[in-house]
Amino acid sequence: MSDTTSSYGNNQNPHSRVRIPHLQQMKVLGQKWAMLTAYDMYAASIFEEAGIPVLLVGDSASNNVFGHESTLPVTVDELLPLVRAVSRTTRRPLVIADLPFGSYQATPEQCFHTAVRFMKEGGAHAVKIEGDMEILPQVALLARSGIPVMAHIGFTPQAEHQLGGYRVQGRGQEAHRLIESARAFEAAGAFALLIEMVPDEVAAQITAAVSIPTVGIGAGVGCDAQVLVWQDMAGLRTGHLPRFVKQYADLRGVLLGAARDFADDVQTGKFPGPEHAFPLDRAQEKNHR
Ligand code: KIV
């Protein structure tokens, strides 16, 4: 269902940019919201029309656009044009650029310079970085510099080799530590937290412990917002899906059917028909249709 009239917090104008205070106000009002990844013009403009207030140009482009097996290989130079496409073609959603592996971990200064590229060259309105307490100085420097930063905690795919694969984080003793990290990120100036693959009770405790919005993926219903990778949500991806994915469409089936029908029509000479061709005499164009 199209939802171009949604208001977010006190943002009553359906055409003006969603901004961080709107997200914060929604937390206060208890209004939940949805975030999707987007990597190109068409997906971004469809999600904007659907009323999605926040779009993430995720490093998951590594898997979902560039065909890698993990998020590790994608580079700043590969992600920048995708961020530019999404920010250029949308008016309303807040566009967050994901900083890829190796582009921010070394020092706060490295992080600052990468974030500035995504804001200046990509037109992003905010950035996201993954990690735990070790990236606190990065978050603090960005926040001091006027760069809104979302901290991605829990399972952090860029550290999959260190974490031993895709594993739920924050179970047992770790829960307390994760809640403390969340508090520290808020204190350092993060505008939001993305919480990935954490038990729902722990994510709900984090959500209650901080006044900034939490966005969950595999973190249960207690978060302030939810995010999915759009190809997962729309059923473009095949094979094994993580437990936290819900498919809302069978886009792969639709595209497959369309591509097969096209190929059949070409083989059988049904396409192009006269209505798709250009007659010698322009006056006959109408009769051609
Ligand atoms: O890059 C990405 O798609 C993410 C997901 C967790 C939403 O960070």
Side-chain angles (χ1 to χ4, degrees):
M1 195 177 68
S2 158
D3 180 17
T4 46
T5 55
S6 295
S7 66
Y8 293 103
N10 65 4
N11 183 1
Q12 299 298 329
N13 183 344
H15 303 295
S16 68
R17 183 74 68 192
V18 173
R19 291 180 179 272
I20 283 151
H22 301 133
L23 304 179
Q24 277 158 352
Q25 203 190 17
M26 281 194 281
K27 174 157 181 138
V28 173
L29 297 173
Q31 288 176 3
K32 290 184 184 261
W33 46 277
M35 169 165 130
L36 280 172
T37 64
Y39 318 99
D40 66 25
M41 173 190 89
Y42 284 120
S45 60
I46 291 167
F47 301 154
E48 171 168 34
E49 197 178 329
I52 304 292
V54 183
L55 297 178
L56 170 69
V57 186
D59 62 349
S60 52
S62 185
N63 319 53
N64 295 297
V65 175
F66 296 107
H68 296 295
E69 285 198 350
S70 78
T71 59
L72 274 68
V74 78
T75 65
V76 169
D77 288 332
E78 285 170 329
L79 280 181
L80 264 172
L82 312 189
V83 175
R84 210 177 295 133
V86 171
S87 64
R88 188 191 288 143
T89 52
T90 52
R91 299 221 156 282
R92 184 137 208 253
L94 185 94
V95 177
I96 304 178
D98 218 357
L99 304 198
F101 177 60
S103 72
Y104 62 90
Q105 287 94 341
T107 61
E109 288 69 29
Q110 183 203 24
C111 182
F112 170 79
H113 290 301
T114 307
V116 165
R117 282 198 72 190
F118 278 102
M119 308 281 286
K120 275 183 188 273
E121 298 172 44
H125 311 121
V127 300
K128 172 168 88 61
I129 57 177
E130 295 182 8
D132 209 314
M133 297 301 271
E134 75 286 353
I135 58 156
L136 210 56
Q138 277 81 334
V139 168
L141 177 58
L142 295 191
R144 278 204 308 279
S145 310
I147 301 175
V149 53
M150 172 182 273
H152 180 154
I153 62 172
F155 177 68
T156 48
Q158 291 177 15
E160 67 162 276
H161 298 300
Q162 193 179 38
L163 296 172
Y166 276 65
R167 301 162 82 102
V168 174
Q169 305 293 309
R171 283 194 167 127
Q173 296 298 318
E174 250 191 70
H176 179 69
R177 196 192 47 73
L178 208 53
I179 297 168
E180 287 314 308
S181 300
R183 286 205 176 100
F185 281 124
E186 176 176 20
F191 79 90
L193 297 171
L194 190 147
I195 308 176
E196 180 163 358
M197 284 177 67
V198 164
D200 51 0
E201 273 182 40
V202 177
Q205 282 176 37
I206 293 173
T207 302
V210 296
S211 61
I212 53 177
T214 60
V215 184
I217 180 162
V221 74
C223 295
D224 299 306
Q226 298 291 328
V227 60
L228 284 175
V229 168
W230 87 256
Q231 290 92 339
D232 295 351
M233 179 278 301
L236 201 60
R237 168 169 167 182
T238 50
H240 172 75
L241 286 175
R243 177 186 168 93
F244 55 75
V245 170
K246 178 170 174 184
Q247 291 196 321
Y248 287 85
D250 175 22
L251 214 53
R252 184 181 159 79
V254 171
L255 273 181
L256 195 61
R260 283 185 175 144
D261 288 350
F262 171 59
D264 282 352
D265 278 4
V266 171
Q267 274 167 13
T268 57
K270 280 196 208 144
F271 178 83
E275 70 275 29
H276 307 117
F278 300 99
L280 252 187
D281 181 353
R282 217 174 157 195
Q284 287 175 8
E285 238 170 45
K286 263 199 196 130
N287 304 337
H288 252 59
R289 290 180 186 276

